[in-house]
Amino acid sequence: MDILKKVKEYREEEEKLKWEGTFAEYLEIVKKRPEVAQTAHSRVYNMIKSAGIEEKNGQKIYKFFSNEIFGLESTIERLVEEYFHPAAKRLDVRKRILLLMGPVSGGKSTIVTLLKRGLEKYTRTDEGAVYAIKGCPMHEDPLHLIPHHLREDFYKEYGIRIEGSLSPLNQLRLEQEYGGRIEDVMVERIFFSEDKRVGIGTFTPSDPKSQDIADLTGSIDFSTIAEYGSESDPRAYRFDGELNKANRGIMEFQEMLKLDEKFLWHLLSLSQEGNFKAGRFALISADELIIAHTNETEYRSFIANKKNEALHSRIIVMPIPYNLKVSEEERIYEKMIKESDMAHVHIAPHALRAAAIFSVLTRLEVPKKQGIDIVKKMRLYDGETVEGFNSVDVEELKKEYPNEGMKGIDPRYVINRISSAIIRKEVPSINALDVLRSLKDGLDQHPSITPEDKEKYMNYIAIARREYDEIAKNEVQKAFVYSYEESAKTLLNNYLDNVEAYCNKNKIKDPLTGEEMPPDEKLMRSIEEQIGISENAKKAFREEILIRLSAYARKGKKFDYNSHERLREAIQKKLFADLKDVVKITTSTKTPDEAQLKKINEVIARLIDEYGYNSTSANELLRYVGSLLNR
């Protein structure tokens, strides 16, 4: 669709959504749809909820965040359930500043940006509609027009609590423009926009000596003092500070703890009482969610400073650690690459996984639990099955280090090193080895890596390389199996026939001779040994398979290659083991004969068509695996 046509449609849609009427007409809307009068905290919570909530393994997944924030499901659940939800219910939590604290490039700014962009869209929907007194620079809540002595009656009739007082400017306008008749005051629908400074404010600290408090609270317009005669006349004041403009929505404080103390004190009354001091006026009411972010070092020094004690109790600190799941880390890199100018570069399959393994290892603490090393821990965190461990063990591992994930390698470093690998190689294709090499070379240039960390990280690069070696070998072996699924199906059916005969103490008929023979123990053991099933455990494993087979039959479902995860793994490994010598000879021959060349070309074609390689990366993979198998 033509982009200008889309712009026009968006403009027309916004025109349709606009509404203007008297306060009396606005009250009719409130009666029908009380949600238009909700608080800023309630609006943010309902916006998050409206995107949908899923439950996965007892964990709530908030879809509002799921396309941008990866691997932080527990953190997001805690953020919503411990802050946004109770704050929406007007509990005391809403009188606290929300401080997101965590390492660089961990997702703090992304969370805030999502909330801001989300609110902009949400206020364009029926359920997120916001109305304000027309012409008010602070987009004030029209319900502030209801006098305090009538608010209890209003609550009985409408079921809505009104908080806050009418601002000095609107108090003056009510008397002078409307003769005190609140029913005639004009009300309009507003749409939040950070660019237009409606409902969203952003404050960034600069030099404390030059930064003016007016940036937050507005300032006197000296050009109008002659006209209005006094600095205390609200018409001679610009209500254009970030706190004024963020009213009804979100106020973001970037790197809040870098702020000068005089700025922080303004947040005390705003968070606790819902008002702030500006100019020579009474306290000005503001309904806004204050969200700030900082790193751990600044937070520790802030806590250590006794001067800040009054603010300590007004802040709810929400730690935002790094992601600790390899598969989710891959998604972070994919997202960052799509947003960069590297999207045209072919990144071979598993290159990002190798980088993700390294990154996650740098963030994990070495487990105290017996029988488990850091690699097994990494796999368990990523939801993989590890022999002898279950979900209870995962929860125990998480409790060992409650602050795990607050240090380690950040995603930006990895993306920078991938960029460096692309530039150095000067070809539009890079593989896992290029990425790992670049990560290793960049450790010397990383300003915050100590010599001890460097030694540890070099070890993690070696582990990531070993993990990739296994992936590469399996990938090539899979590609070598001609009609892989067919071979797997044949082997599976053969195994199942023998297991059924073994469990039922029957014999099996030879398909060629028709002769009855005992179950083929050698075949069954050759498959079971691939996944470490011991002689003592074989009976239980076979009975488990038979039970699963019967359950599928009862439901009228077909038991296939994917019906039992561990059996699938065993079949895979058995096929690979049988093929290993063929792969070894074919990939490592420097002068392949015609048959070998045909096989290599078939494998390369399969790697390209089915596994996502291009011709460069497929050839590189074959050469590498050939060298691995010859070691």
PDB file of all heavy atoms in Angstrom, residues 480 581-605 619 622:
ATOM      1  N   PHE A 480      23.456 -35.997   5.766  1.00  0.00           N
ATOM      2  CA  PHE A 480      23.985 -37.143   5.025  1.00  0.00           C
ATOM      3  C   PHE A 480      22.988 -38.287   4.916  1.00  0.00           C
ATOM      4  O   PHE A 480      23.077 -39.116   4.028  1.00  0.00           O
ATOM      5  CB  PHE A 480      25.273 -37.664   5.695  1.00  0.00           C
ATOM      6  CG  PHE A 480      26.516 -37.217   4.985  1.00  0.00           C
ATOM      7  CD1 PHE A 480      27.112 -36.000   5.292  1.00  0.00           C
ATOM      8  CD2 PHE A 480      27.088 -38.002   4.001  1.00  0.00           C
ATOM      9  CE1 PHE A 480      28.247 -35.573   4.644  1.00  0.00           C
ATOM     10  CE2 PHE A 480      28.224 -37.578   3.341  1.00  0.00           C
ATOM     11  CZ  PHE A 480      28.808 -36.366   3.665  1.00  0.00           C
ATOM     12  N   ASP A 581      31.349 -43.023   9.786  1.00  0.00           N
ATOM     13  CA  ASP A 581      32.508 -43.335   8.928  1.00  0.00           C
ATOM     14  C   ASP A 581      32.310 -42.793   7.504  1.00  0.00           C
ATOM     15  O   ASP A 581      33.241 -42.301   6.885  1.00  0.00           O
ATOM     16  CB  ASP A 581      32.767 -44.843   8.892  1.00  0.00           C
ATOM     17  CG  ASP A 581      33.317 -45.325  10.233  1.00  0.00           C
ATOM     18  OD1 ASP A 581      33.888 -44.476  10.956  1.00  0.00           O
ATOM     19  OD2 ASP A 581      33.146 -46.500  10.571  1.00  0.00           O
ATOM     20  N   VAL A 582      31.051 -42.913   7.011  1.00  0.00           N
ATOM     21  CA  VAL A 582      30.755 -42.406   5.658  1.00  0.00           C
ATOM     22  C   VAL A 582      31.006 -40.892   5.613  1.00  0.00           C
ATOM     23  O   VAL A 582      31.654 -40.380   4.712  1.00  0.00           O
ATOM     24  CB  VAL A 582      29.267 -42.694   5.283  1.00  0.00           C
ATOM     25  CG1 VAL A 582      28.960 -42.173   3.887  1.00  0.00           C
ATOM     26  CG2 VAL A 582      28.961 -44.168   5.389  1.00  0.00           C
ATOM     27  N   VAL A 583      30.502 -40.210   6.633  1.00  0.00           N
ATOM     28  CA  VAL A 583      30.657 -38.744   6.714  1.00  0.00           C
ATOM     29  C   VAL A 583      32.135 -38.385   6.755  1.00  0.00           C
ATOM     30  O   VAL A 583      32.605 -37.499   6.041  1.00  0.00           O
ATOM     31  CB  VAL A 583      29.926 -38.192   7.970  1.00  0.00           C
ATOM     32  CG1 VAL A 583      30.178 -36.698   8.108  1.00  0.00           C
ATOM     33  CG2 VAL A 583      28.437 -38.463   7.883  1.00  0.00           C
ATOM     34  N   LYS A 584      32.862 -39.089   7.613  1.00  0.00           N
ATOM     35  CA  LYS A 584      34.282 -38.822   7.827  1.00  0.00           C
ATOM     36  C   LYS A 584      35.070 -38.922   6.525  1.00  0.00           C
ATOM     37  O   LYS A 584      35.829 -38.020   6.159  1.00  0.00           O
ATOM     38  CB  LYS A 584      34.813 -39.836   8.857  1.00  0.00           C
ATOM     39  CG  LYS A 584      36.184 -39.519   9.400  1.00  0.00           C
ATOM     40  CD  LYS A 584      36.466 -40.484  10.528  1.00  0.00           C
ATOM     41  CE  LYS A 584      37.901 -40.406  10.978  1.00  0.00           C
ATOM     42  NZ  LYS A 584      38.174 -41.341  12.069  1.00  0.00           N
ATOM     43  N   ILE A 585      34.843 -39.999   5.817  1.00  0.00           N
ATOM     44  CA  ILE A 585      35.592 -40.233   4.568  1.00  0.00           C
ATOM     45  C   ILE A 585      35.218 -39.175   3.523  1.00  0.00           C
ATOM     46  O   ILE A 585      36.076 -38.568   2.889  1.00  0.00           O
ATOM     47  CB  ILE A 585      35.333 -41.666   4.017  1.00  0.00           C
ATOM     48  CG1 ILE A 585      35.926 -42.709   4.979  1.00  0.00           C
ATOM     49  CG2 ILE A 585      35.910 -41.844   2.620  1.00  0.00           C
ATOM     50  CD1 ILE A 585      35.351 -44.092   4.823  1.00  0.00           C
ATOM     51  N   THR A 586      33.898 -38.910   3.387  1.00  0.00           N
ATOM     52  CA  THR A 586      33.429 -38.005   2.331  1.00  0.00           C
ATOM     53  C   THR A 586      33.852 -36.563   2.569  1.00  0.00           C
ATOM     54  O   THR A 586      34.279 -35.873   1.647  1.00  0.00           O
ATOM     55  CB  THR A 586      31.882 -38.079   2.207  1.00  0.00           C
ATOM     56  OG1 THR A 586      31.500 -39.456   2.264  1.00  0.00           O
ATOM     57  CG2 THR A 586      31.399 -37.472   0.926  1.00  0.00           C
ATOM     58  N   THR A 587      33.744 -36.105   3.830  1.00  0.00           N
ATOM     59  CA  THR A 587      34.034 -34.688   4.097  1.00  0.00           C
ATOM     60  C   THR A 587      35.521 -34.382   4.124  1.00  0.00           C
ATOM     61  O   THR A 587      35.932 -33.253   3.913  1.00  0.00           O
ATOM     62  CB  THR A 587      33.417 -34.236   5.443  1.00  0.00           C
ATOM     63  OG1 THR A 587      33.877 -35.113   6.468  1.00  0.00           O
ATOM     64  CG2 THR A 587      31.924 -34.207   5.402  1.00  0.00           C
ATOM     65  N   SER A 588      36.345 -35.385   4.432  1.00  0.00           N
ATOM     66  CA  SER A 588      37.765 -35.091   4.602  1.00  0.00           C
ATOM     67  C   SER A 588      38.619 -35.437   3.379  1.00  0.00           C
ATOM     68  O   SER A 588      39.802 -35.144   3.347  1.00  0.00           O
ATOM     69  CB  SER A 588      38.304 -35.841   5.827  1.00  0.00           C
ATOM     70  OG  SER A 588      38.105 -37.226   5.661  1.00  0.00           O
ATOM     71  N   THR A 589      38.009 -36.035   2.363  1.00  0.00           N
ATOM     72  CA  THR A 589      38.780 -36.387   1.166  1.00  0.00           C
ATOM     73  C   THR A 589      39.102 -35.124   0.361  1.00  0.00           C
ATOM     74  O   THR A 589      38.200 -34.385  -0.015  1.00  0.00           O
ATOM     75  CB  THR A 589      37.973 -37.381   0.278  1.00  0.00           C
ATOM     76  OG1 THR A 589      37.620 -38.493   1.085  1.00  0.00           O
ATOM     77  CG2 THR A 589      38.784 -37.857  -0.893  1.00  0.00           C
ATOM     78  N   LYS A 590      40.409 -34.922   0.125  1.00  0.00           N
ATOM     79  CA  LYS A 590      40.819 -33.721  -0.605  1.00  0.00           C
ATOM     80  C   LYS A 590      40.530 -33.850  -2.091  1.00  0.00           C
ATOM     81  O   LYS A 590      40.234 -32.874  -2.770  1.00  0.00           O
ATOM     82  CB  LYS A 590      42.312 -33.451  -0.374  1.00  0.00           C
ATOM     83  CG  LYS A 590      42.549 -32.854   1.010  1.00  0.00           C
ATOM     84  CD  LYS A 590      44.001 -32.609   1.305  1.00  0.00           C
ATOM     85  CE  LYS A 590      44.158 -32.076   2.733  1.00  0.00           C
ATOM     86  NZ  LYS A 590      45.534 -32.102   3.182  1.00  0.00           N
ATOM     87  N   THR A 591      40.626 -35.077  -2.612  1.00  0.00           N
ATOM     88  CA  THR A 591      40.318 -35.295  -4.038  1.00  0.00           C
ATOM     89  C   THR A 591      39.207 -36.342  -4.126  1.00  0.00           C
ATOM     90  O   THR A 591      39.456 -37.531  -4.345  1.00  0.00           O
ATOM     91  CB  THR A 591      41.576 -35.797  -4.789  1.00  0.00           C
ATOM     92  OG1 THR A 591      42.104 -36.922  -4.079  1.00  0.00           O
ATOM     93  CG2 THR A 591      42.606 -34.699  -4.900  1.00  0.00           C
ATOM     94  N   PRO A 592      37.952 -35.941  -3.882  1.00  0.00           N
ATOM     95  CA  PRO A 592      36.857 -36.919  -3.876  1.00  0.00           C
ATOM     96  C   PRO A 592      36.614 -37.519  -5.259  1.00  0.00           C
ATOM     97  O   PRO A 592      36.801 -36.846  -6.277  1.00  0.00           O
ATOM     98  CB  PRO A 592      35.657 -36.093  -3.416  1.00  0.00           C
ATOM     99  CG  PRO A 592      36.004 -34.680  -3.708  1.00  0.00           C
ATOM    100  CD  PRO A 592      37.484 -34.582  -3.651  1.00  0.00           C
ATOM    101  N   ASP A 593      36.217 -38.807  -5.273  1.00  0.00           N
ATOM    102  CA  ASP A 593      35.868 -39.428  -6.552  1.00  0.00           C
ATOM    103  C   ASP A 593      34.455 -38.982  -6.948  1.00  0.00           C
ATOM    104  O   ASP A 593      33.796 -38.236  -6.228  1.00  0.00           O
ATOM    105  CB  ASP A 593      35.969 -40.959  -6.460  1.00  0.00           C
ATOM    106  CG  ASP A 593      35.046 -41.540  -5.394  1.00  0.00           C
ATOM    107  OD1 ASP A 593      33.978 -40.949  -5.155  1.00  0.00           O
ATOM    108  OD2 ASP A 593      35.405 -42.578  -4.794  1.00  0.00           O
ATOM    109  N   GLU A 594      33.999 -39.495  -8.076  1.00  0.00           N
ATOM    110  CA  GLU A 594      32.715 -39.041  -8.616  1.00  0.00           C
ATOM    111  C   GLU A 594      31.550 -39.298  -7.663  1.00  0.00           C
ATOM    112  O   GLU A 594      30.687 -38.442  -7.452  1.00  0.00           O
ATOM    113  CB  GLU A 594      32.455 -39.756  -9.962  1.00  0.00           C
ATOM    114  CG  GLU A 594      31.418 -39.023 -10.801  1.00  0.00           C
ATOM    115  CD  GLU A 594      31.200 -39.702 -12.147  1.00  0.00           C
ATOM    116  OE1 GLU A 594      32.159 -40.284 -12.698  1.00  0.00           O
ATOM    117  OE2 GLU A 594      30.058 -39.638 -12.618  1.00  0.00           O
ATOM    118  N   ALA A 595      31.553 -40.508  -7.045  1.00  0.00           N
ATOM    119  CA  ALA A 595      30.464 -40.880  -6.125  1.00  0.00           C
ATOM    120  C   ALA A 595      30.478 -39.975  -4.889  1.00  0.00           C
ATOM    121  O   ALA A 595      29.424 -39.516  -4.422  1.00  0.00           O
ATOM    122  CB  ALA A 595      30.609 -42.339  -5.700  1.00  0.00           C
ATOM    123  N   GLN A 596      31.695 -39.722  -4.382  1.00  0.00           N
ATOM    124  CA  GLN A 596      31.811 -38.865  -3.191  1.00  0.00           C
ATOM    125  C   GLN A 596      31.405 -37.427  -3.516  1.00  0.00           C
ATOM    126  O   GLN A 596      30.729 -36.760  -2.721  1.00  0.00           O
ATOM    127  CB  GLN A 596      33.250 -38.899  -2.655  1.00  0.00           C
ATOM    128  CG  GLN A 596      33.590 -40.206  -1.945  1.00  0.00           C
ATOM    129  CD  GLN A 596      35.083 -40.328  -1.680  1.00  0.00           C
ATOM    130  OE1 GLN A 596      35.912 -39.723  -2.358  1.00  0.00           O
ATOM    131  NE2 GLN A 596      35.431 -41.140  -0.692  1.00  0.00           N
ATOM    132  N   LEU A 597      31.809 -36.960  -4.691  1.00  0.00           N
ATOM    133  CA  LEU A 597      31.469 -35.605  -5.110  1.00  0.00           C
ATOM    134  C   LEU A 597      29.954 -35.443  -5.231  1.00  0.00           C
ATOM    135  O   LEU A 597      29.389 -34.419  -4.813  1.00  0.00           O
ATOM    136  CB  LEU A 597      32.133 -35.309  -6.465  1.00  0.00           C
ATOM    137  CG  LEU A 597      32.338 -33.841  -6.826  1.00  0.00           C
ATOM    138  CD1 LEU A 597      33.180 -33.134  -5.769  1.00  0.00           C
ATOM    139  CD2 LEU A 597      32.987 -33.708  -8.191  1.00  0.00           C
ATOM    140  N   LYS A 598      29.310 -36.479  -5.776  1.00  0.00           N
ATOM    141  CA  LYS A 598      27.843 -36.460  -5.923  1.00  0.00           C
ATOM    142  C   LYS A 598      27.187 -36.362  -4.541  1.00  0.00           C
ATOM    143  O   LYS A 598      26.241 -35.603  -4.326  1.00  0.00           O
ATOM    144  CB  LYS A 598      27.401 -37.740  -6.642  1.00  0.00           C
ATOM    145  CG  LYS A 598      25.923 -37.737  -6.995  1.00  0.00           C
ATOM    146  CD  LYS A 598      25.531 -38.990  -7.749  1.00  0.00           C
ATOM    147  CE  LYS A 598      24.026 -38.941  -8.013  1.00  0.00           C
ATOM    148  NZ  LYS A 598      23.307 -40.113  -7.710  1.00  0.00           N
ATOM    149  N   LYS A 599      27.734 -37.174  -3.606  1.00  0.00           N
ATOM    150  CA  LYS A 599      27.197 -37.191  -2.239  1.00  0.00           C
ATOM    151  C   LYS A 599      27.371 -35.814  -1.576  1.00  0.00           C
ATOM    152  O   LYS A 599      26.451 -35.287  -0.957  1.00  0.00           O
ATOM    153  CB  LYS A 599      27.915 -38.273  -1.424  1.00  0.00           C
ATOM    154  CG  LYS A 599      27.289 -38.560  -0.073  1.00  0.00           C
ATOM    155  CD  LYS A 599      25.964 -39.285  -0.229  1.00  0.00           C
ATOM    156  CE  LYS A 599      25.260 -39.460   1.087  1.00  0.00           C
ATOM    157  NZ  LYS A 599      23.879 -39.889   0.927  1.00  0.00           N
ATOM    158  N   ILE A 600      28.571 -35.216  -1.753  1.00  0.00           N
ATOM    159  CA  ILE A 600      28.850 -33.898  -1.160  1.00  0.00           C
ATOM    160  C   ILE A 600      27.877 -32.856  -1.715  1.00  0.00           C
ATOM    161  O   ILE A 600      27.310 -32.063  -0.966  1.00  0.00           O
ATOM    162  CB  ILE A 600      30.322 -33.480  -1.420  1.00  0.00           C
ATOM    163  CG1 ILE A 600      31.261 -34.307  -0.523  1.00  0.00           C
ATOM    164  CG2 ILE A 600      30.528 -31.981  -1.160  1.00  0.00           C
ATOM    165  CD1 ILE A 600      32.734 -34.164  -0.857  1.00  0.00           C
ATOM    166  N   ASN A 601      27.654 -32.893  -3.033  1.00  0.00           N
ATOM    167  CA  ASN A 601      26.739 -31.923  -3.646  1.00  0.00           C
ATOM    168  C   ASN A 601      25.305 -32.107  -3.156  1.00  0.00           C
ATOM    169  O   ASN A 601      24.567 -31.146  -2.967  1.00  0.00           O
ATOM    170  CB  ASN A 601      26.787 -32.025  -5.179  1.00  0.00           C
ATOM    171  CG  ASN A 601      28.102 -31.479  -5.712  1.00  0.00           C
ATOM    172  OD1 ASN A 601      28.733 -30.634  -5.083  1.00  0.00           O
ATOM    173  ND2 ASN A 601      28.535 -31.971  -6.866  1.00  0.00           N
ATOM    174  N   GLU A 602      24.927 -33.374  -2.937  1.00  0.00           N
ATOM    175  CA  GLU A 602      23.584 -33.667  -2.401  1.00  0.00           C
ATOM    176  C   GLU A 602      23.429 -33.081  -0.994  1.00  0.00           C
ATOM    177  O   GLU A 602      22.412 -32.488  -0.652  1.00  0.00           O
ATOM    178  CB  GLU A 602      23.351 -35.189  -2.321  1.00  0.00           C
ATOM    179  CG  GLU A 602      22.890 -35.812  -3.611  1.00  0.00           C
ATOM    180  CD  GLU A 602      22.722 -37.329  -3.475  1.00  0.00           C
ATOM    181  OE1 GLU A 602      22.742 -37.837  -2.332  1.00  0.00           O
ATOM    182  OE2 GLU A 602      22.596 -37.991  -4.507  1.00  0.00           O
ATOM    183  N   VAL A 603      24.497 -33.285  -0.185  1.00  0.00           N
ATOM    184  CA  VAL A 603      24.480 -32.806   1.202  1.00  0.00           C
ATOM    185  C   VAL A 603      24.416 -31.278   1.230  1.00  0.00           C
ATOM    186  O   VAL A 603      23.633 -30.697   1.982  1.00  0.00           O
ATOM    187  CB  VAL A 603      25.719 -33.327   1.985  1.00  0.00           C
ATOM    188  CG1 VAL A 603      25.850 -32.630   3.334  1.00  0.00           C
ATOM    189  CG2 VAL A 603      25.612 -34.826   2.184  1.00  0.00           C
ATOM    190  N   ILE A 604      25.226 -30.626   0.376  1.00  0.00           N
ATOM    191  CA  ILE A 604      25.222 -29.157   0.327  1.00  0.00           C
ATOM    192  C   ILE A 604      23.832 -28.655  -0.091  1.00  0.00           C
ATOM    193  O   ILE A 604      23.294 -27.721   0.514  1.00  0.00           O
ATOM    194  CB  ILE A 604      26.325 -28.637  -0.629  1.00  0.00           C
ATOM    195  CG1 ILE A 604      27.696 -28.813   0.049  1.00  0.00           C
ATOM    196  CG2 ILE A 604      26.103 -27.171  -1.004  1.00  0.00           C
ATOM    197  CD1 ILE A 604      28.892 -28.547  -0.827  1.00  0.00           C
ATOM    198  N   ALA A 605      23.243 -29.318  -1.074  1.00  0.00           N
ATOM    199  CA  ALA A 605      21.896 -28.928  -1.529  1.00  0.00           C
ATOM    200  C   ALA A 605      20.890 -29.059  -0.387  1.00  0.00           C
ATOM    201  O   ALA A 605      20.032 -28.186  -0.188  1.00  0.00           O
ATOM    202  CB  ALA A 605      21.468 -29.798  -2.708  1.00  0.00           C
ATOM    203  N   ASN A 619      29.504 -25.083   2.570  1.00  0.00           N
ATOM    204  CA  ASN A 619      30.844 -25.611   2.257  1.00  0.00           C
ATOM    205  C   ASN A 619      31.781 -25.467   3.465  1.00  0.00           C
ATOM    206  O   ASN A 619      32.552 -26.375   3.774  1.00  0.00           O
ATOM    207  CB  ASN A 619      31.432 -24.883   1.046  1.00  0.00           C
ATOM    208  CG  ASN A 619      30.976 -25.519  -0.262  1.00  0.00           C
ATOM    209  OD1 ASN A 619      31.343 -26.656  -0.573  1.00  0.00           O
ATOM    210  ND2 ASN A 619      30.137 -24.812  -1.002  1.00  0.00           N
ATOM    211  N   LEU A 622      30.932 -28.181   6.033  1.00  0.00           N
ATOM    212  CA  LEU A 622      31.433 -29.521   5.650  1.00  0.00           C
ATOM    213  C   LEU A 622      32.930 -29.640   5.897  1.00  0.00           C
ATOM    214  O   LEU A 622      33.403 -30.648   6.422  1.00  0.00           O
ATOM    215  CB  LEU A 622      31.137 -29.782   4.169  1.00  0.00           C
ATOM    216  CG  LEU A 622      29.757 -30.353   3.830  1.00  0.00           C
ATOM    217  CD1 LEU A 622      29.700 -30.726   2.361  1.00  0.00           C
ATOM    218  CD2 LEU A 622      29.423 -31.578   4.658  1.00  0.00           C
TER     219      LEU A 622
END
